[in-house]
Amino acid sequence: MRPAVRHFGVALRQLPLSEPLRAVRADQATEALDSAVVQVISQITGAVDDSMAKTLAASAEAAQQFEEPADSELRSKVVGAVHKLQKGLLERETEVRLMLLAALCGEHLLLLGPPGTAKSELARRLSGLAHGAYFERLLTRFSVPEELFGPLSMQGLENDQYVRKTDGYLPTAEVAFVDEIFKANSAILNALLTLLNERLFDNGNQRLPVPLLCLIGASNELPESEELDALYDRFLIRRTVAQVTNAQIGKLARLAAGRPADPSSSSSSSNGNGNGSSEGGPALDMDDFRHTADRAYAAVDVPDSVVDILAELRCYLQDKCEPPMYVSDRRFMKAVQMLQVAAHADGREAVNEYDCLLLEHVFGNRPDDCHKVRGQVLEIIASDPGLQQTELVFLGLFGRACRVLEQSPDSAEAADALAECGTLVELLQGRQAALAATLEGAFPELRATVWQSEASVQAAVQALTPQLTENKRKTEELLREAFTLQQCLAQRSAGGVLEKLLPKRYKQYQKGISSKV
């Protein structure tokens, strides 16, 4: 329509008309031009509305079709182990999961809390689950190495050999529980550090491998001296254990009386992963504990989105958090490997962003640091830097489209701009579908994992929902604008059409031109 109007205007200029007649004809040309623009705008708006309606309908349908990951044999075993370990315990869902994850990783767990909070009971249950040799000891400031590593061999001393009889002691244990571990003195500390990290024990002039799978350390307080910092760092996962809350004290009384904690429920509660209790199913064995970590490292990918979360989190903790939290390279690498094990045991081939919530139990130096780590992880997940980058790409493409449509709408550059706009639309459609699946599906990936308790899931959902809802709204607005730009480029519309359809973006474009001038 635009060429017809242009030719009509040229014909008018060629006629020898009087001034009043020229004004009348000019008004008629303007009305014809306005009518053409309105018609084009109406066509584009209708097409955009149809495209948006189809996109929203498709994403809503996809959100309802989310399928939980199929149960692998390992996942079924883990779910059954979680239910078995937490049976008869109150408010220990998180501790049970962390202990099981530490054992599958071949790492150690530190439980901080007052006496009488089931710390040693958890360790005994893990030993029973793994069917491994168990060792338990309470340390005092006067404890000697013989209490942990075994007595000196009298026969060895007769032969001028300084060796210990380790059978039944820590060097031969597969699961161990050491209470008040930070009361270890320097005579115990050196041997303990090597045993925990390298799984080696120096017995006389020999350095022997030890079968230790997981050591659960317990303490009522944090280490007070710097020489214990190395021991504190040997525990990859740390958790503060509290008393049973007042809301659950009635159930605790029923358990003490030998009655079911919840008379209305015949089985332990599930964390929302859709599996329920799996009593009687396959059980974890020592082979699973020994080899799951190696299998996970080979099979599970860590996508760039998770790498970005990890890098940003460490940068924040060390450089921006007050007081700063030092995260050593060793701890950082072990944290990544722990996430791989968590994903593998969950039946997935890649770590997802919600797995990073486990890092609240890995990073940080003080008990209260876990709240800062968790809060920052949730903030990073909720933020969407990709959306801002996509908007900048759209602004650049919008300016390019304005220039092309004003100067050479039929050029190859216009076709290139249209193709780029199509790519941008696909990107935004994918992002909108992902957000819709998360929000309308009530965070299905988070609820499907076995490693988050129901309370942890609910808290995360409550924290993430407002920001993700806002991100979805902004994504849909940007998608509508991208559809509009795509239609304008497809129809080779005049530059004035873009100005009327997207006035805010056109003002930004004009402002950018003015600033360059």
Side-chain angles (χ1 to χ4, degrees), residues 237-264:
I237 303 176
R238 306 157 180 163
R239 170 71 177 176
T240 300
V241 185
Q243 288 181 313
V244 173
T245 60
N246 292 336
Q248 300 290 325
I249 200 68
K251 293 182 179 180
L252 184 63
R254 294 188 186 96
L255 285 175
R259 297 166 52 191
D262 189 354
S264 63

Side-chain angles (χ1 to χ4, degrees), residues 348-504:
R348 290 181 275 117
E349 297 180 352
V351 178
N352 64 37
E353 55 190 6
Y354 301 115
D355 291 328
C356 295
L357 291 171
L358 292 169
L359 297 176
E360 68 171 298
H361 308 293
V362 178
F363 296 157
N365 301 317
R366 317 298 295 182
D368 292 341
D369 289 346
C370 64
H371 303 297
K372 298 179 182 178
V373 175
R374 181 181 177 86
Q376 185 61 24
V377 170
L378 289 171
E379 183 176 336
I380 295 173
I381 294 175
S383 65
D384 196 347
L387 180 60
Q388 185 176 4
Q389 296 172 1
T390 305
E391 185 174 5
L392 293 176
V393 171
F394 173 79
L395 287 174
L397 187 58
F398 181 85
R400 181 182 174 188
C402 288
R403 293 191 300 272
V404 168
L405 292 176
E406 290 172 358
Q407 299 172 6
S408 53
D410 296 324
S411 65
E413 187 177 1
D416 292 341
L418 178 59
E420 291 182 19
C421 191
T423 302
L424 181 62
V425 165
E426 292 179 1
L427 178 66
L428 288 169
Q429 284 177 319
R431 183 57 183 157
Q432 190 276 335
L435 288 169
T438 297
L439 292 169
E440 297 175 18
F443 294 80
E445 290 185 345
L446 179 58
R447 294 185 184 278
T449 180
V450 71
W451 299 114
Q452 294 291 333
S453 65
E454 183 64 24
S456 178
V457 169
Q458 293 293 351
V461 169
Q462 186 176 3
L464 291 171
T465 298
Q467 185 59 53
L468 291 186
T469 302
E470 178 65 14
N471 292 346
K472 179 173 176 287
R473 183 190 65 81
K474 291 180 178 179
T475 301
E476 290 174 355
E477 288 182 355
L478 189 57
L479 178 59
R480 174 176 283 277
E481 292 177 333
F483 273 134
T484 302
L485 184 60
Q486 186 181 42
Q487 287 294 326
C488 289
L489 287 168
Q491 298 188 21
R492 304 296 193 267
S493 304
V497 174
L498 265 179
E499 180 182 0
K500 289 179 170 57
L501 284 170
L502 301 174
K504 183 182 75 171

Side-chain angles (χ1 to χ4, degrees), residues 65-250:
Q65 296 176 350
F66 174 82
E67 296 182 0
E68 294 181 357
D71 270 0
S72 63
E73 183 181 1
L74 178 59
R75 177 181 165 86
S76 298
K77 291 180 178 181
V78 169
V79 172
V82 168
H83 284 285
K84 184 176 180 180
L85 289 172
Q86 71 184 22
K87 186 176 182 180
L89 298 177
L90 292 177
E91 298 181 346
R92 294 295 175 263
E93 295 86 356
T94 299
E95 289 78 5
V96 161
R97 286 166 170 81
L98 293 177
M99 181 178 66
L100 191 58
L101 180 58
L104 289 171
C105 293
E107 295 292 343
H108 310 297
L109 170 68
L110 176 65
L111 299 175
L112 295 169
T117 50
K119 298 188 292 293
S120 60
E121 175 63 19
L122 288 171
R124 296 187 193 105
R125 292 190 178 201
L126 177 63
S127 174
L129 180 71
H131 302 289
Y134 181 66
F135 176 81
E136 180 176 331
R137 192 67 80 231
L138 169 64
L139 296 184
T140 68
R141 296 190 183 280
F142 306 103
S143 294
V144 292
E146 285 74 13
E147 296 181 36
L148 284 181
F149 310 120
L152 291 173
S153 171
M154 295 297 103
Q155 185 176 357
L157 290 175
E158 291 177 359
N159 297 326
D160 295 331
Q161 294 180 345
Y162 193 85
V163 295
R164 297 185 182 276
K165 300 180 66 174
T166 59
D167 289 344
Y169 289 86
L170 183 57
T172 60
E174 292 172 305
V175 177
F177 175 75
V178 180
D179 202 358
E180 294 300 336
I181 193 168
F182 294 126
K183 287 185 168 58
N185 53 48
S186 57
I188 296 174
L189 195 57
N190 291 335
L192 188 57
L193 290 175
T194 304
L195 191 145
L196 290 179
N197 197 51
E198 284 83 19
R199 300 296 202 281
L200 296 172
F201 176 67
D202 293 322
N203 196 9
N205 59 0
Q206 292 183 317
R207 174 162 281 196
L208 304 175
V210 298
L212 183 63
L213 173 69
C214 177
L215 183 141
I216 293 94
S219 178
N220 299 333
E221 56 190 5
L222 288 172
E224 298 177 353
S225 60
E226 292 184 0
E227 67 178 1
L228 292 172
D229 288 346
L231 178 59
Y232 184 60
D233 188 61
R234 291 300 189 274
F235 293 94
L236 178 65
I237 303 176
R238 306 157 180 163
R239 170 71 177 176
T240 300
V241 185
Q243 288 181 313
V244 173
T245 60
N246 292 336
Q248 300 290 325
I249 200 68

